[in-house]
Amino acid sequence: MRNGLIVLLLALCAVPRALATDQTPDNLLYGDESYYVEDPLLEPYFREHPEKRVEGDSTTTALYRKYIATFAIRNGELLLDDIQVPHVKFGEEDKEGWSSLKEEWSSAKEALVPKDGVLRISWFSGFICFHHYGKASPEEARQIFRRPEWVALVEVAEGRVVSERKFADEKAYDDYRSACAQDAKESEAGKAYAAGLRKKGVSEEEIARNVKRYRCLRGAPLVRANNSRGFGGVL
């Protein structure tokens, strides 16, 4: 009887994104570690292929896209490793007529990737910056100014890794970024990013504005990831 009321309350949770809480990040496997990646790398693919979009029954405003994807850098490529979608199920009614909610997850990878096949993230050209934090106590993890053990920068052009750099600490990475800001040379990822926009009919002026407007490095988008959310998400 009260299931209908619960469904209505769930529908009311679909508030505008401007009022949303921070979104649950996707995952990215790099080396032997899993990292949280804030940028939704699958969304451009779904905008181009809306018929391929997979969605679950999310009960939280922290997951508007209604899936959690896991990517992997493997054999020199950026690949989709898995995509999980939630399903809401009602439990038995109690004496007052209320039903409990249970959220179960299942893989929807087969809807996007042929069996035994792979889906390369070929629409992405840019840099992925990994901030690697070691094991930490809950107290250490909550430190706002906690520094990473090392930083890695992976350059990707149309889903293929074209370069990797590892920095001993955050200062070394910051120094590299400062040097890049003084260097007008366009990266391979930057060239691929601009070429992809041109194929969509984007003008040179708009491409230039994109590079200036968004977080970019040497002409290409910069995606940041880390392996610790204890201090408030992706930095």
Side-chain angles (χ1 to χ4, degrees):
M1 176 177 64
R2 299 193 178 182
N3 284 355
L5 176 59
I6 294 174
V7 171
L8 175 60
L9 290 174
L10 291 177
L12 292 175
C13 288
V15 295
R17 289 176 184 261
L19 302 179
T21 54
D22 291 340
Q23 294 298 289
T24 303
D26 288 327
N27 305 303
L28 177 54
L29 307 178
Y30 179 62
D32 298 325
E33 195 79 33
S34 178
Y35 295 81
Y36 301 106
V37 57
E38 191 175 55
D39 300 70
L41 298 178
L42 267 180
E43 286 305 298
Y45 177 82
F46 287 142
R47 285 195 293 270
E48 290 286 330
H49 306 280
E51 75 282 359
K52 290 281 191 178
R53 179 177 286 277
V54 295
E55 292 183 342
D57 310 310
S58 178
T59 61
T60 173
T61 57
L63 191 62
Y64 275 117
R65 63 188 185 282
K66 298 182 181 179
Y67 66 81
I68 294 179
T70 297
F71 306 94
I73 293 180
R74 187 179 298 127
N75 299 323
E77 295 184 315
L78 177 61
L79 307 171
L80 176 67
D81 190 71
D82 194 12
I83 181 168
Q84 294 276 325
V85 295
H87 305 281
V88 175
K89 293 189 176 182
F90 291 99
E92 295 183 0
E93 290 188 358
D94 60 21
K95 294 180 180 180
E96 297 180 352
W98 288 98
S99 297
S100 60
L101 288 177
K102 183 170 65 173
E103 196 172 69
E104 298 180 352
W105 292 77
S106 64
S107 175
K109 182 180 177 181
E110 289 188 1
L112 301 176
V113 184
K115 191 173 182 180
D116 300 325
V118 296
L119 178 63
R120 191 175 85 247
I121 314 303
S122 58
W123 55 89
F124 176 75
S125 294
F127 292 89
I128 303 174
C129 181
F130 295 90
H131 283 64
H132 182 87
Y133 296 86
K135 304 299 181 182
S137 66
E139 293 74 17
E140 291 173 327
R142 284 194 292 268
Q143 292 179 9
I144 297 176
F145 298 106
R146 185 167 158 239
R147 299 299 181 186
E149 289 187 350
W150 51 261
V151 179
L153 188 66
V154 178
E155 182 181 2
V156 178
E158 297 181 333
R160 299 186 187 279
V161 175
V162 295
S163 72
E164 293 185 61
R165 293 178 176 86
K166 190 171 181 179
F167 304 90
D169 52 37
E170 195 170 32
K171 182 181 183 305
Y173 168 66
D174 289 340
D175 289 344
Y176 174 79
R177 286 197 63 184
S178 297
C180 288
Q182 304 299 321
D183 181 6
K185 184 179 179 182
E186 192 176 30
S187 64
E188 190 169 342
K191 294 176 183 177
Y193 173 67
L197 292 178
R198 290 187 189 103
K199 288 180 181 178
K200 296 178 181 179
V202 179
S203 68
E204 296 298 324
E205 292 77 10
E206 185 61 27
I207 292 174
R209 282 196 292 269
N210 282 348
V211 171
K212 290 182 179 180
R213 185 184 306 144
Y214 302 119
R215 188 174 63 223
C216 288
L217 178 66
R218 295 185 63 193
L222 177 64
V223 173
R224 292 181 289 189
N226 71 51
N227 64 332
S228 175
R229 297 182 67 199
F231 52 88
V234 176
L235 292 182

